[in-house]
Amino acid sequence: MSETPAIELRKINKSFGPVHANKDIDLVVKKGSIHGIIGENGAGKSTLMSILYGFYNADDGDILVDGRTVTISDSKHAIALGIGMVHQHFMLVDNFSVLENVVLGAEDSGLLAGGLARAKRELKRLEEEYELRVDPEALIQDLPVGLQQRVEILKALYRSAEVLILDEPTGVLTPAEADHLFKILNVLKDEGKTILLITHKLREIMAVTDTVSVMRRGEMVATRETAGTTMEELAELMVGRSVLLRVDKKPAEPGAPVLEVENLTVTDKRGVQAVKDVSFTVRAGEIVGIAGVSGNGQSELLETLAGIRKATSGKLKINGETIDLGASTLDAADMRDKNMGHVPEDRHRMGLINSFAEYENSILGYHRDPAYSKGLLMDLAVIRKNAVAEIEKYDIRPPNPMLKTASFSGGNQQKIVLAREIERDPQVLLVGQPTRGVDIGAIEFIHRRLVELRDAGKGILLVSVELDEIRGLSDRVLVMFDGRIVGERGADADEGDLGLLMAGVDDTHSAPAEGGVQ
């Protein structure tokens, strides 16, 4: 391995107004290595990588590529220096072919001098050399996300990238797809490529990286050889205190059914069935998790049960009352009146009004409750008093109910939503992506609150794309694929087993899974 680092950053600083996003950052990345960068939300990871890729210009500091000091003015300049980036949200044109996407933006490349045929030959060489096989004639819109990600990597390699930055690369992958990605990264490393892996998943850091750097509040606080550290140490470095990485809970003691769903079908605005004849039960005192890759009907299922989306057909029994969802006119307010809470998957789109103060968001959806009324007016003193109590109980920071919700971090915004829903003492709680975009310290807190609610005899339906979260919190796991529930497993569900079901493969028959759990 070369003595000269592939990338070296020296005293990088970047501010956005009063926010100092990167403070005197030093980073050395060895050639031919996989180097992980971890940190809480707002730690400055994305800003630092955006500087390296030319999206931002540093206020001061030096960037060295192969030992030479460079100024990276934009992403085109970064590509010319051999730096490629695979974004968390793919930058692909859906109705273009794989080949067209790979050459898009590189039309002035010498590889196109002989036309697309020459470019196709180069693409085939890259596919074989790096085990990134994908049909060059296939349309992007027809490819699963795992193959779309391969196309993004091929785009960078086609442009002769020697350094690849991957930003949260497994967020949309099944466990099996993630494992295959790691194999590809190791092949790239063996061929001399250098990988910078940005992720919040400590398990992935331990599995695939050689070195890991930890950022906290805009500063680089530690760099460790991966083989010489632990997930516990890395978590403590990220947060600045010790963190419990596992969900601490006793076995569930489920009681009577509190939520029963029978033959639920939901058709989306395009006329496509998003939920197909789904049936299941949630009992008091248990957490039922729904695992699946995003886009397989989980969102539509939660929104329908919460009264936000109209069902095509099916029945719902909640606390003994049966509702024909196909004929029902019930909305979200009606479902709240039936003692059902809802933590939506997208807190910004459905859970909060960011321009409102924290105390206003603390009663959103419950503002007609007589407890908050004073004659014809709202009793602001009572509302603010309750908000202060929730802030203290849920450790919401900063502890200021008058502050605009937009001023809170993602984790604290999520706590505001959870506090609002849990403190109404619902018999059933629907929870979508409870820790999406949430710091590791807040994740620990949120998990503990959900377990406490379960132990208080409530029924919880949990949807999450984080398989570790599903396995850690759930007492039973249902798996959704293509709008159907294709399997049910217990609390000790095997990751590989769940991964096969999430990919639409029935592990007992090695064929696409069909049907549902009745």
Side-chain angles (χ1 to χ4, degrees):
M1 190 175 289
S2 172
E3 293 292 328
T4 304
I7 299 291
E8 187 173 358
L9 306 179
R10 297 176 180 171
K11 304 300 178 191
I12 296 293
N13 281 276
K14 180 65 180 178
S15 295
F16 299 94
V19 178
H20 202 165
N22 287 162
K23 307 173 189 175
D24 291 327
I25 296 291
D26 291 325
L27 177 67
V28 176
V29 181
K30 296 176 183 177
K31 280 188 179 178
S33 71
I34 302 178
H35 194 119
I37 298 182
I38 59 172
E40 295 187 285
N41 298 320
K45 310 182 300 295
S46 295
T47 298
L48 189 65
M49 291 301 100
S50 294
I51 289 170
L52 180 57
Y53 194 59
F55 283 153
Y56 298 142
N57 292 320
D59 296 335
D60 53 64
D62 295 317
I63 301 174
L64 285 76
V65 177
D66 283 335
R68 294 184 300 112
T69 302
V70 298
T71 300
I72 301 177
S73 56
D74 55 29
S75 57
K76 189 173 183 180
H77 189 195
I79 291 167
L81 290 168
I83 301 170
M85 188 165 183
V86 178
H87 301 271
Q88 184 176 4
H89 303 290
F90 303 149
M91 305 291 186
L92 301 171
V93 181
D94 281 352
N95 57 353
F96 277 22
S97 71
V98 168
L99 179 61
E100 289 167 335
N101 271 278
V102 167
V103 302
L104 189 63
E107 291 86 355
D108 56 351
S109 166
L111 292 168
L112 273 180
L116 282 176
R118 183 175 178 183
K120 187 174 181 178
R121 289 194 296 272
E122 174 62 11
L123 178 58
K124 182 175 178 60
R125 183 189 71 79
L126 292 170
E127 289 177 353
E128 292 178 351
E129 182 174 355
Y130 298 108
E131 298 183 15
L132 286 161
R133 293 177 182 83
V134 58
D135 180 3
E137 304 299 333
L139 296 181
I140 294 297
Q141 64 194 18
D142 296 332
L143 295 178
V145 289
L147 291 182
Q148 289 184 27
Q149 189 176 66
R150 291 189 200 182
V151 178
E152 284 280 22
I153 296 173
L154 284 165
K155 276 175 57 180
L157 294 174
Y158 183 82
R159 289 157 176 76
S160 302
E162 291 297 323
V163 176
L164 269 176
I165 304 167
L166 286 89
D167 184 14
E168 299 287 356
T170 64
V172 293
L173 303 183
T174 67
E177 287 171 332
D179 287 343
H180 191 79
L181 172 65
F182 297 156
K183 291 178 183 176
I184 289 170
L185 296 185
N186 279 308
V187 170
L188 290 166
K189 183 181 81 166
D190 292 343
E191 294 289 335
K193 305 296 183 184
T194 303
I195 313 293
L196 272 162
L197 178 64
I198 316 304
T199 181
H200 68 279
K201 298 179 180 179
L202 293 174
R203 193 180 304 277
E204 294 178 3
I205 286 289
M206 299 303 295
V208 76
T209 64
D210 302 300
T211 309
V212 54
S213 295
V214 185
M215 294 186 67
R216 186 170 74 235
R217 297 180 182 177
E219 299 182 83
M220 191 67 73
V221 296
T223 294
R224 298 281 189 270
E225 296 300 315
T226 307
T229 188
T230 63
M231 288 196 292
E232 288 76 14
E233 183 192 20
L234 294 176
E236 187 167 345
L237 286 168
M238 286 168 62
V239 180
R241 61 175 177 81
S242 61
V243 178
L244 183 67
L245 293 178
R246 59 181 175 79
V247 178
D248 188 15
K249 62 185 177 75
K250 63 183 182 181
E253 298 178 4
V258 290
L259 178 69
E260 297 173 75
V261 177
E262 183 180 340
N263 304 122
L264 177 63
T265 296
V266 181
T267 305
D268 65 19
K269 292 179 180 179
R270 301 167 298 165
V272 176
Q273 281 190 351
V275 179
K276 304 173 182 178
D277 197 33
V278 163
S279 301
F280 62 89
T281 297
V282 179
R283 299 178 181 277
E286 73 170 347
I287 299 175
V288 176
I290 297 184
V293 178
S294 182
N296 278 275
Q298 309 96 307
S299 298
E300 292 82 357
L301 172 64
L302 269 195
E303 290 175 12
T304 302
L305 297 179
I308 296 169
R309 184 183 290 264
K310 174 73 174 169
T312 306
S313 61
K315 293 182 179 179
L316 169 68
K317 183 182 284 189
I318 180 167
N319 297 318
E321 178 186 354
T322 300
I323 301 165
D324 183 346
L325 290 175
S328 171
T329 59
L330 298 178
D331 59 15
D334 296 319
M335 298 311 293
R336 283 193 292 270
D337 289 342
K338 296 184 183 301
N339 214 10
M340 180 186 286
H342 178 217
V343 177
E345 292 183 290
D346 187 336
R347 57 181 170 268
H348 294 137
R349 188 169 63 92
M350 289 187 177
L352 298 166
I353 299 176
N354 279 335
S355 59
F356 280 18
E358 190 282 337
Y359 79 90
E360 294 172 305
N361 274 288
S362 74
I363 63 162
L364 203 62
Y366 300 94
H367 47 282
R368 293 186 178 85
D369 190 317
Y372 302 132
S373 300
K374 193 175 185 178
L376 295 176
L377 303 176
M378 301 188 79
D379 192 337
L380 296 183
V382 168
I383 295 170
R384 289 169 185 161
K385 181 180 178 181
N386 285 350
V388 168
E390 289 179 4
I391 283 172
E392 182 177 355
K393 185 173 181 179
Y394 287 79
D395 191 29
I396 296 168
R397 304 176 194 174
N400 181 359
M402 308 303 293
L403 196 65
K404 299 290 186 192
T405 308
S407 301
F408 290 84
S409 70
N412 284 292
Q413 289 178 347
Q414 190 74 351
K415 287 181 184 179
I416 293 169
V417 177
L418 279 160
R420 181 182 69 216
E421 300 301 320
I422 291 176
E423 290 305 300
R424 297 311 176 281
D425 195 32
Q427 188 59 40
V428 178
L429 182 66
L430 310 175
V431 186
Q433 315 299 346
T435 58
R436 173 178 281 167
V438 171
D439 300 334
I440 194 166
I443 289 173
E444 177 192 29
F445 181 93
I446 290 168
H447 286 174
R448 190 166 66 244
R449 281 283 181 241
L450 291 176
V451 171
E452 288 173 358
L453 192 66
R454 179 204 75 163
D455 292 345
K458 312 302 181 182
I460 300 175
L461 182 66
L462 167 71
V463 167
S464 176
V465 295
E466 300 291 350
L467 195 51
D468 283 346
E469 182 165 68
I470 286 285
R471 293 176 68 222
L473 281 173
S474 303
D475 303 303
R476 287 190 293 124
V477 180
L478 309 178
V479 182
M480 283 194 77
F481 174 76
D482 191 29
R484 301 181 187 275
I485 292 179
V486 295
E488 178 178 337
R489 298 294 186 266
D492 57 350
D494 176 74
E495 182 175 330
D497 180 19
L498 291 175
L500 284 170
L501 289 169
M502 288 166 63
V505 177
D506 184 334
D507 54 339
T508 58
H509 299 98
S510 297
E514 294 182 355
V517 177
Q518 300 298 325

